[in-house]
Amino acid sequence: MLKSKTFVKKTRSGGVLKIVREHYLRDDIWCGSEVCTECKQESTVLQRDTCIESNLCAYPHYLIPDTNVVLHQIDVLEDPVIRNVIILQTVLQEVRHRSAPVYKRIKDIIHEKEKHFYTFTNEHHRETFIEREPGESANDRNDRAIRVAATWYTQHLKTSESAADGLKVVLLTNDQGNKQKAAESGLLVFKCEEYIKSLIANPELVDRLALTNDEKNEITSSKVLFPEHLPLSRIQAGIKSGSFLQGTFRASRDNYLEATVFVPGEGEDSTEVLLQGLQNLNRAVHQDVVAVQLLPRDHWVAPSSVVLQDEGMAKDENPEEEEEEKAVTAKKPTGKVVGIIKRNWRPFCGMLNVSQIKESTRHLFTPADRRIPRIRIETRQASTLAGQRIMVAIDGWPKDSRYPNGHFVRSLGGAGEKDTEEEVLLLEHDVPHQAFSQAVLSFLPKMPWAITPEDMKQRQDLRQLTVCSVDPPGCTDIDDALHCRELDNGNLEVGVHIADVSHFIRPGNALDKEAANRGTTVYLCGKRIDMVPELLSSNLCSLRSNVERLAFSCIWEMNHEAEILKTWFTKSIINSKVKHNKNHDLFAYLLYLSQMRIDDTTMNDDITKSLRGLNKLAKILKRRRIENGALTLSSLEVRFHIDSETHDPIDLQTKELMETNSMVEEFMLLANISVAQKIYDEFSECALLRKHPAPPPSNYDILIKAAKSKNVAIHTDSAKALADSLDMATVDSFPYFNTLLRILATRCMMQAVYFCSGMDSDFHHYGLASPIYTHFTSPIRRYSDIIVHRLLAVAIGADSTYPDLMDKHKQSALCNNLNYRHKMAQYAQRASVAFHTQLFFKTRGVLNEEGFVLFVRKNAIIVLIPKFGMEGTVFFDSKDKTAPNLVFDEEGPTLTVEQHTFHIFDKVKVTISLDASNIQHQKIRMALIDPVISGVSVPAEDLEPQSKKSKLDR
């Protein structure tokens, strides 16, 4: 049976397009129940025995949730107790349009066989499809469609043998109008809350219920604490007229009374609006999209220099609203939140603060992320959940509540346990870490795998070349290999050979979609979360020694001054040339062995000669890059030595960089630049490139002040000026000064980002001083490189194109996801280092170490400990009557504590130990040894190991 649906759509040019779609209705759609004798179905999902005890429904039953139940009670639906659920096509379509995260979660539940969730395509069933009536809203039509489908199921199952079993269908809805109409139609219908509370054997499931609007009002006070949020219509009108600005709310980690709103603009027209005070923050949560109104200029203030943590209170009636002393200089545009455009809430990890009131079911939850406010939840499991890491979701934030209201989602395990803490940091940084699904694994090559004769015909055979890989210890996902040989004409041929991952991952399949979503491999301490399954990452794509591998090669002919005479690209077959003996791999992919080969004049084999040639050229390339204005910045990376049995860190040290690090780096950079130019020349509108924006001048303020304190001038007019002045920045009798200055300069930099060439005009990479750049050299661990490989393959005629590759809008959306995933991976890596640092200090007792003051705040100094590559904040609490006198000079910047004045780069000596008194926010405690300040023992807040890469952006 054929129906047609007609609707109009507005085009980009402002016109109106009439669209007619054919809509087929069928009478052979199965009901999915194993008790049914009517449907001729090959397989069933819904069980005969539903196995769920309820004092409301003392009979076997299937559940049909409406759209709002799926949207708001997804945590309940995910629970293993809830089974035999019919998800209507109408509901699924509505959920897809209204919430992508919930849609993904409900689809995942449907795919779990043991959950017995069945999707019924009621919109294509002859007996359940309904037309929208004149004057009927889309929402009302969908509610009616759900009721019609529930009625059909009720009648359909009555005709089967299930009638004898008393099997019934229960509609779940929280909409009072929908419930009433369903009851009038003779349907069994309950509110989701009353059904869940009726489950006899599972009372704890009540904790997972999201609060309804009625319940939100019940647990708030009558005192109004926050201004009313404006309706969306007024917000949109205000943004259009320019009286409001739209941007992303970014809460401060250091001060819970402060936040900024980033308002994007063209080029340098982006704005950052400062918010101070609870009322001006007005219930916005980190990463929400909000509307802000600028305050009059005479109300503008400077960012606070005070570090202020919310210690939390149980009562709404007494909100803590400390107004710290405001700085009088460097005022920023200041505003207030007038409305929420889009909530960006997710389930948050943290711990429960059990109420001191006996038998109370209301408790405060403290998130692990300090930028998220405490959340009030109702639970009867408080004694069980105490000491556990748990997940909580926010349901709403009424204007008369000091904290948002939420509900318990699930327990993650005991706080402080290694597996639990690792799970927390992956969840908190939104790192996809579930096992690869069977759908993804089904697209892997069948083993045993071998290069086929067809592959040989389509590729250049480079197996005879002395190709070698230079990678660190323990590395199994080897992306790159190099070769260098002298040509008959006296020039040198240099090749960078990259794993041909795009050969194994074809566009649009489940493996490709999963890699695109993950975006990057995430490296934690002692663990790797792969972007692609291990068969590819550690085996078939990894350029291991003495095995034939598929590669994508970038090859140059150069003279001995490293000038490029010719460049070409080819799909290839290589065989990494490395000798073995029975005990160990002599080359072992270890950098230090490569360095030994280069340095040992008695070694003159092909591998060593290749490495020496590469090293010589790399030095020239690096010198030339620096002369052109490329920056050489610095940060301290740490390496843990892990016990093989306990997997605990037994040693912690900063990584040593060798000449061979730089050698590999230079050729990877050169390959990335060469490929970037090639794909842009061929596809000017859809090349995936990477840029590094120049920092705004204000970013350099702290660097300039810090250098000035030692009578050193830093020039920031250009990358070249900055590089030159950093090279000349030395202080007699302070050899570490230049390193500290470069660490500080790293903090001034902007984030490098991926972008689509057709959507941006600024291609420049500031840090590398390159007019164009991309990522080509790590396709095993970065999805960006896979796309670049595909573009390059099309450019040289080695592969065919596909629509999404040439769609600049889709490329741009992909870039946004990649930028997000890379940023989250960095943060997760940093959190992993911080956790392992705490494990390291747990068994060390108290250590005395030297450090340097890196930043000065109004009530704290931030100290860098070079030996461990970490930094920590040392607080001076001025609220306590016994605390020392503090005088902060913003111009310096300096902080005077009693008789001693702290400057940036001052050397200090501290004791370091682990404070585990707060199991959720364990911290390294510091106390000053030198300088000695009478009566002061200074605790330190969370010590954060440095994790900014010292590597260039390759």
Side-chain angles (χ1 to χ4, degrees), residues 349-586:
C349 301
M351 294 185 71
L352 197 65
N353 288 13
V354 179
S355 172
Q356 299 303 307
I357 303 170
K358 208 171 184 181
E359 296 183 10
S360 173
T361 60
R362 293 176 61 192
H363 308 273
L364 276 178
F365 164 83
T366 302
D369 187 342
R370 292 190 183 278
R371 294 169 300 186
I372 307 301
R374 293 176 177 229
I375 302 165
R376 180 174 284 109
I377 70 167
E378 296 241 6
T379 177
R380 291 158 186 78
Q381 305 177 68
S383 58
T384 307
L385 298 178
Q388 298 274 307
R389 288 279 200 173
I390 65 173
M391 291 185 79
V392 162
I394 298 177
D395 298 324
W397 195 342
K399 63 184 177 182
D400 47 4
S401 173
R402 170 67 172 83
Y403 297 110
N405 299 321
H407 66 275
F408 168 75
V409 176
R410 66 185 172 104
S411 177
L412 299 170
E417 293 174 9
K418 193 183 296 183
D419 289 347
T420 302
E421 297 303 326
E422 201 165 72
E423 175 78 359
V424 167
L425 76 87
L426 290 170
L427 289 166
E428 279 295 286
H429 297 100
D430 196 16
V431 175
H433 59 284
Q434 68 280 5
F436 289 101
S437 69
Q438 284 306 310
V440 169
L441 297 176
S442 69
F443 287 96
L444 291 174
K446 301 294 179 278
M447 298 300 286
W449 174 86
I451 295 172
T452 66
E454 188 64 26
D455 291 329
M456 301 290 282
K457 283 180 194 173
Q458 295 173 352
R459 292 172 180 268
Q460 191 169 348
D461 188 349
L462 302 180
R463 288 175 296 176
Q464 79 287 357
L465 293 180
T466 305
V467 172
C468 53
S469 181
V470 184
D471 275 276
C475 183
T476 58
D477 53 342
I478 303 168
D479 292 285
D480 51 79
L482 298 156
H483 89 270
C484 177
R485 64 174 178 171
E486 192 159 339
L487 299 173
D488 293 340
N489 60 10
N491 291 329
L492 296 170
E493 179 187 271
V494 177
V496 166
H497 311 278
I498 306 300
D500 190 4
V501 182
S502 63
H503 172 84
F504 297 96
I505 301 180
R506 303 310 296 165
N509 67 25
L511 176 57
D512 181 49
K513 287 176 180 175
E514 182 67 19
N517 178 49
R518 293 189 178 213
T520 180
T521 293
V522 181
Y523 295 89
L524 306 179
C525 298
K527 185 173 183 177
R528 191 178 78 202
I529 312 294
D530 281 325
M531 181 183 79
V532 297
E534 190 177 15
L535 178 65
L536 297 183
S537 65
S538 296
N539 187 352
L540 302 184
C541 293
S542 186
L543 304 184
R544 302 190 302 183
S545 59
N546 293 328
V547 288
E548 294 177 357
R549 286 290 179 254
L550 304 180
F552 209 151
S553 301
C554 173
I555 303 171
W556 305 275
E557 183 179 337
M558 295 181 172
N559 60 25
H560 286 266
E561 293 305 309
E563 292 168 333
I564 298 171
L565 307 174
K566 184 182 175 186
T567 305
W568 67 100
F569 309 95
T570 181
K571 293 258 187 169
S572 59
I573 300 171
I574 64 168
N575 190 324
S576 187
K577 299 289 189 288
V578 182
K579 295 179 183 177
H580 286 77
N581 67 15
K582 64 179 180 179
N583 294 319
H584 64 284
D585 179 343
L586 288 178

Side-chain angles (χ1 to χ4, degrees), residues 95-222:
V95 170
R96 185 177 188 176
H97 288 125
R98 289 171 62 182
S99 174
V102 174
Y103 178 73
K104 184 183 184 306
R105 289 169 72 181
I106 194 67
K107 289 288 283 184
D108 288 345
I109 298 173
I110 291 166
H111 288 134
E112 288 181 41
K113 287 184 179 177
E114 63 275 13
K115 288 281 285 173
H116 300 281
F117 272 51
Y118 180 65
T119 306
F120 180 62
T121 50
N122 63 303
E123 296 288 353
H124 289 279
H125 194 288
R126 187 194 296 268
E127 295 181 52
T128 57
F129 172 76
I130 60 166
E131 299 275 9
R132 184 170 163 186
E133 294 175 351
E136 186 178 37
S137 71
N139 188 60
D140 286 345
R141 181 264 169 204
N142 288 342
D143 282 348
R144 188 161 59 88
I146 292 166
R147 294 195 300 272
V148 167
T151 302
W152 178 84
Y153 255 105
T154 300
Q155 293 167 349
H156 178 75
L157 292 177
K158 274 181 183 174
T159 63
S160 69
E161 63 184 64
S162 66
D165 299 332
L167 181 67
K168 298 184 180 181
V169 174
V170 174
L171 175 63
L172 297 183
T173 179
N174 288 329
D175 184 293
Q176 192 59 43
N178 195 24
K179 185 172 184 282
Q180 189 175 337
K181 288 175 183 174
E184 289 168 359
S185 303
L187 289 170
L188 264 173
V189 58
F190 299 109
K191 279 193 169 185
C192 185
E193 288 77 10
E194 56 185 339
Y195 175 78
I196 295 302
K197 287 174 182 176
S198 79
L199 299 182
I200 297 164
N202 304 92
E204 74 285 350
L205 198 52
V206 173
D207 288 351
R208 300 187 71 174
L209 283 168
L211 297 178
T212 63
N213 287 329
D214 293 340
E215 289 171 315
K216 288 173 194 173
N217 294 331
E218 282 173 18
I219 66 168
T220 57
S221 73
S222 57

Side-chain angles (χ1 to χ4, degrees), residues 28 41 204 471 597 698 707 717 808 859 877 890 918:
D28 60 349
Q41 44 201 12
E204 74 285 350
D471 275 276
R597 283 178 177 272
S698 60
D717 301 339
K808 66 180 182 180
N859 64 336
D877 189 358
E890 193 177 14
N918 180 337

